[in-house]
Amino acid sequence: MSAKNVLLLFVSVWCLLSCEVVPKKELEMKKKIVIAHRGASGYLPEHTLAAKAMAHAMNVDFIEQDVVLSKDGVPVVIHDIYLDDVTDIAMKFPDRKRKDDRYYVIDFTFDELKTLRVTERFKPQTGEQVYKNRFPKWKSNFKIHSLQEEIELIQGLNLSTGKTVGIYPEIKAPEFHQKEGKKIAEIVLKVLSDYGYQNKKDNCILQCFDAKELERIRKELKSELFLVQLIEFPEEVKQLAYFATYADGIGSWYKQILEKKVNGKWQFTALVANAHQLGLKVHPYTFRADALNDFSSFQEMMQALLIEANVDGAFTDFPDLVVQFLKDKNY
Ligand code: CA
């Protein structure tokens, strides 16, 4: 054997011994993940393709999609079943509101929805922009898009940049869709499957506030995706053991993790420890640098929840700040 071959053999054996083989999913889920909440929504109107592309460029782990169905059953990416707080629907179709004065996504075909202009979130009664210092209302040109179009954007960007950014879709208001005669979970699962998201290795986390529906997605619809049960109310915090029978994680309101501040130091509820005990990941919402509430700075919020309370990820409108914070902390 020549000296060169001996060297090659040595290098190969060294590589084999030193490169620990870790399954793909374990490797990913070990670190704390950054989820772009409605995209980079602190900087561009929520759920626009521009906000999603910006989030992708910020090196997030996942980009969130809230999904609602159109009249013709197209899964559309928008936060609510309503249209009047992020679009010009009231100007374009003034006679198509319901008795409650709201305009519903489900009352319009996808082609009709495509004609709308999307803008920064505002209060429909007053027209007042919700987050004053964000992207200015009615500037530039943004449109509504389907779940498929967004997945194609993210998968296309993954290809062109070499990144592996995942998707984090939420099934919105399944009971409302059921009453309207539509099966939103079945439609969303089909799209996810068509685009290669079928099990826990596929870089997709599916979330829902409706526990019965998420349980049905696991048990009846036999989904093998990573499932996150969103929780909103105090009584839901007590149902962790039930959630663990079908879900892989919980998405809680961050206030459910905070107990109180004593001598400048945060104390926490048992939520994260209890969830971890049951093998559930914890991804609290929403980290907003321009709506701090309990915290004196965004840095304090990230330090308290991500490090001290030891959550496993964050839904954030400001993904660049959380990505940088975790990088500085060596996560
Ligand atoms: Ca959501």
Side-chain angles (χ1 to χ4, degrees):
M1 196 183 274
S2 72
K4 191 181 157 198
N5 283 348
V6 170
L7 182 68
L8 272 176
L9 182 70
F10 175 78
V11 170
S12 310
V13 170
W14 178 80
C15 268
L16 273 175
L17 292 175
S18 61
C19 302
E20 203 186 334
V21 181
V22 181
K24 189 181 159 206
K25 200 68 206 176
E26 261 180 51
L27 190 73
E28 266 168 16
M29 298 310 270
K30 251 185 200 165
K31 63 182 243 221
K32 296 179 190 291
I33 60 166
V34 180
I35 308 141
H37 181 246
R38 313 182 199 173
S41 57
Y43 305 103
L44 279 161
E46 65 182 53
H47 285 314
T48 56
L49 289 179
K52 306 305 169 90
M54 189 178 191
H56 193 281
M58 288 173 164
N59 294 326
V60 297
D61 300 287
F62 290 87
I63 297 175
E64 190 204 25
Q65 301 77 33
D66 290 309
V67 185
V68 174
L69 295 181
S70 69
K71 190 175 186 175
D72 45 349
V74 177
V76 168
V77 181
I78 187 167
H79 183 259
D80 297 300
I81 56 174
Y82 311 113
L83 288 158
D84 40 27
D85 40 19
V86 287
T87 75
D88 59 351
I89 189 83
M91 288 173 252
K92 287 226 171 74
F93 297 95
D95 54 347
R96 301 231 340 238
K97 59 184 173 189
R98 291 194 184 185
K99 285 200 185 84
D100 61 358
D101 269 350
R102 310 276 340 235
Y103 296 83
Y104 287 71
V105 177
I106 209 151
D107 292 337
F108 297 84
T109 65
F110 186 55
D111 279 347
E112 286 173 329
L113 294 172
K114 283 258 174 200
T115 68
L116 300 176
R117 212 174 149 191
V118 174
T119 191
E120 183 63 32
R121 176 169 290 276
F122 60 95
K123 296 174 182 163
Q125 303 84 354
T126 61
E128 187 194 353
Q129 187 166 326
V130 173
Y131 295 98
K132 313 249 173 327
N133 296 318
R134 293 194 180 181
F135 198 87
K137 201 163 63 113
W138 302 126
K139 295 294 180 187
S140 194
N141 180 27
F142 305 103
K143 296 288 182 184
I144 284 182
H145 61 270
S146 67
L147 176 61
Q148 293 92 321
E149 287 167 332
E150 179 157 338
I151 292 173
E152 288 177 14
L153 176 84
I154 294 167
Q155 292 190 344
L157 283 170
N158 281 344
L159 266 177
S160 61
T161 62
K163 293 180 191 175
T164 54
V165 175
I167 60 168
Y168 205 133
E170 177 183 347
I171 293 180
K172 303 294 286 200
E175 212 174 328
F176 167 81
H177 283 93
Q178 185 70 37
K179 279 188 199 130
E180 298 285 328
K182 293 204 164 34
K183 295 184 170 182
I184 185 168
E186 281 83 344
I187 289 173
V188 169
L189 285 174
K190 170 77 167 63
V191 170
L192 296 179
S193 173
D194 287 350
Y195 281 89
Y197 303 108
Q198 288 158 355
N199 59 51
K200 291 178 200 186
K201 291 195 299 295
D202 291 331
N203 228 0
C204 171
I205 298 178
L206 184 62
Q207 47 167 340
C208 192
F209 272 106
D210 187 321
K212 283 277 159 247
E213 184 70 350
L214 201 62
E215 183 183 27
R216 190 179 77 89
I217 285 169
R218 174 72 84 216
K219 294 179 180 169
E220 277 177 44
L221 303 181
K222 308 268 183 239
S223 172
E224 293 172 23
L225 288 169
F226 194 101
L227 301 182
V228 162
Q229 178 62 57
L230 296 170
I231 59 178
E232 193 173 10
F233 303 109
E235 59 269 26
E236 291 172 312
V237 172
K238 298 176 198 137
Q239 293 181 280
L240 290 184
Y242 158 57
F243 299 152
T245 63
Y246 59 86
D248 304 288
I250 54 162
S252 74
W253 190 23
Y254 77 85
K255 282 177 192 272
Q256 291 162 333
I257 294 166
L258 296 178
E259 183 77 59
K260 58 180 183 227
K261 207 171 174 179
V262 179
N263 299 327
K265 205 165 162 34
W266 278 104
Q267 295 181 348
F268 306 102
T269 65
L271 180 64
V272 179
N274 290 346
H276 284 169
Q277 195 96 48
L278 290 159
L280 295 166
K281 298 283 182 192
V282 183
H283 300 158
Y285 58 86
T286 304
F287 287 60
R288 292 187 172 111
D290 57 355
L292 292 168
N293 299 311
D294 309 88
F295 303 101
S296 55
S297 69
F298 196 52
Q299 195 72 17
E300 185 197 353
M301 180 181 197
M302 292 188 285
Q303 175 69 29
L305 291 165
L306 282 160
I307 308 299
E308 291 161 25
N310 193 28
V311 301
D312 307 289
F315 283 95
T316 178
D317 293 2
F318 296 85
D320 55 334
L321 301 183
V322 184
V323 166
Q324 187 61 49
F325 174 82
L326 290 175
K327 202 174 160 199
D328 291 345
K329 298 279 175 185
N330 294 319
Y331 278 98

